[in-house]
């Protein structure tokens, strides 16, 4: 999820990362395959496939406060880094608030995107998302328990990077100038019941909440509240504290990204 004040800095940081060693174990084998899963221009996935055997699939879900002005370009460096580490990586674009998204359309898109790339995957299917994408990654981990999204491939692991995991708190605190309320729209309790990760606990898949205590965009307590509630309910949930504010978790080459890679290494 990208605060307006931070877009230029993040763009520069991501551009700079392209010129620095990422720690990848191999080169990117080829251009990704563009897969469309609907008729809207925002309904597509770029699928990166490694040379040789794949370790599994990582579905990369970008942030941006669910808003249309922030797109999948922010997930591309992560997908490129992951494919070099032997993962099949799917960088997902989806409809956002301002271009036909919001509840439930954005959730429909994430569900459909996972179905488009994960149906025949052997090995783990991991959702990894940053900020608003962290919300969507965690939601996807439990989506098949809900009737609307019951038919589709299951996610086996979730990695939330500075994710919005408590929508009620996000609305109460007006994170992103009311972005969570804009995403939920006027659906009321139905939206919370179907879209709030905190309300979904306990999941039956492991969740890692990677978050920096000095995050000034999505508060660290979002991760703490989720992990505490999930653990109390008997779920497998791990809080991974990093440094670097809101954005270093999506900067290949940073210590915060290395912590995400370490989580993935523990999976496959």
């Amino acid at each position: 999820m990208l605060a307006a004040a931070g877009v230029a800095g993040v763009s520069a940081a991501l551009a700079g990362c392209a010129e620095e060693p990422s720690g990848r174990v191999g080169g990117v084998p080829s251009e990704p395959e563009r897969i469309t899963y609907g008729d809207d221009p925002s309904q597509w996935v770029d699928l990166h496939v490694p040379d040789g055997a794949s370790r599994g699939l990582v579905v990369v879900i970008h942030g941006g406060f669910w808003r249309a002005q922030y797109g999948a370009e922010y997930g591309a460096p992560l997908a490129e880094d992951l494919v070099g580490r032997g993962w099949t990586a799917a960088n997902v674009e989806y409809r956002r608030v301002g271009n036909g998204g919001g509840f439930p359309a954005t959730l429909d898109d994430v569900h459909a995107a996972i179905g488009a790339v994960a149906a025949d995957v052997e090995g783990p299917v991991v959702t990894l998302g940053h900020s608003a994408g962290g919300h969507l990654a965690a939601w996807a981990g439990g989506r098949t328990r809900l009737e609307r999204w019951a038919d589709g491939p299951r996610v086996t692991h979730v990695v939330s990077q500075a994710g919005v995991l408590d929508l009620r708190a996000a609305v109460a605190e007006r994170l992103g100038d009311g972005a969570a309320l804009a995403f939920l729209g006027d659906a009321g309790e139905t939206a919370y019941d179907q879209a709030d990760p905190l309300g979904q606990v306990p999941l039956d898949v492991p969740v890692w909440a990677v978050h920096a205590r000095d995050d000034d965009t999505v508060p660290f307590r979002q991760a703490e509240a989720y992990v505490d509630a999930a653990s109390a309910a008997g779920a497998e949930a791990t809080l991974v504290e990093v440094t670097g504010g809101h954005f270093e978790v999506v900067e290949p080459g940073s210590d915060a990204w290395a912590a995400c890679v370490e989580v993935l290494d523990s999976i496959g």
Side-chain angles (χ1 to χ4, degrees), residues 8-96:
V10 172
S11 300
L14 293 178
C17 286
E19 302 173 357
E20 298 174 359
S22 68
R24 292 184 289 194
V25 298
V28 178
S30 62
E31 290 297 312
E33 176 188 2
R34 175 67 56 91
I35 298 170
T36 59
Y37 59 86
D39 296 330
D40 191 272
S42 291
Q43 292 175 314
W44 54 264
V45 182
D46 276 349
L47 187 67
H48 302 251
V49 179
D51 290 327
S54 173
R55 300 168 66 181
L57 172 67
V58 180
V59 180
V60 178
I61 308 175
H62 72 83
F65 275 129
W66 306 277
R67 288 174 174 146
Q69 61 262 46
Y70 307 117
E73 64 271 17
Y74 292 104
L78 307 188
E80 292 168 2
D81 188 76
L82 291 169
V83 73
R85 298 179 186 276
W87 293 93
T88 300
N91 185 33
V92 174
E93 189 58 286
Y94 53 90
R95 289 172 293 171
R96 284 110 44 221

Side-chain angles (χ1 to χ4, degrees), residues 1 59-66 94 110 127-139 158-165:
M1 174 184 320
V59 180
V60 178
I61 308 175
H62 72 83
F65 275 129
W66 306 277
Y94 53 90
V110 171
T127 49
L128 176 143
H130 176 238
S131 202
H135 157 257
L136 296 171
W139 170 84
V158 172
V159 182
S160 166
Q161 304 167 290
V164 182
L165 301 178

Side-chain angles (χ1 to χ4, degrees), residues 37 43 95 102-115 135-136 138-155 167 183-184 187 189-197 200:
Y37 59 86
Q43 292 175 314
R95 289 172 293 171
F103 177 86
T106 294
L107 305 182
D108 289 341
D109 283 5
V110 171
H111 175 69
I114 293 171
H135 157 257
L136 296 171
W139 170 84
R143 78 197 192 289
T144 55
R145 300 186 305 191
L146 300 165
E147 183 178 357
R148 185 183 180 98
W149 301 286
D151 184 18
R154 291 184 67 253
V155 168
L167 288 183
F183 165 74
L184 293 167
E189 285 301 311
T190 297
Y192 287 109
D193 291 343
Q194 297 188 22
D196 190 2
Q200 289 180 306

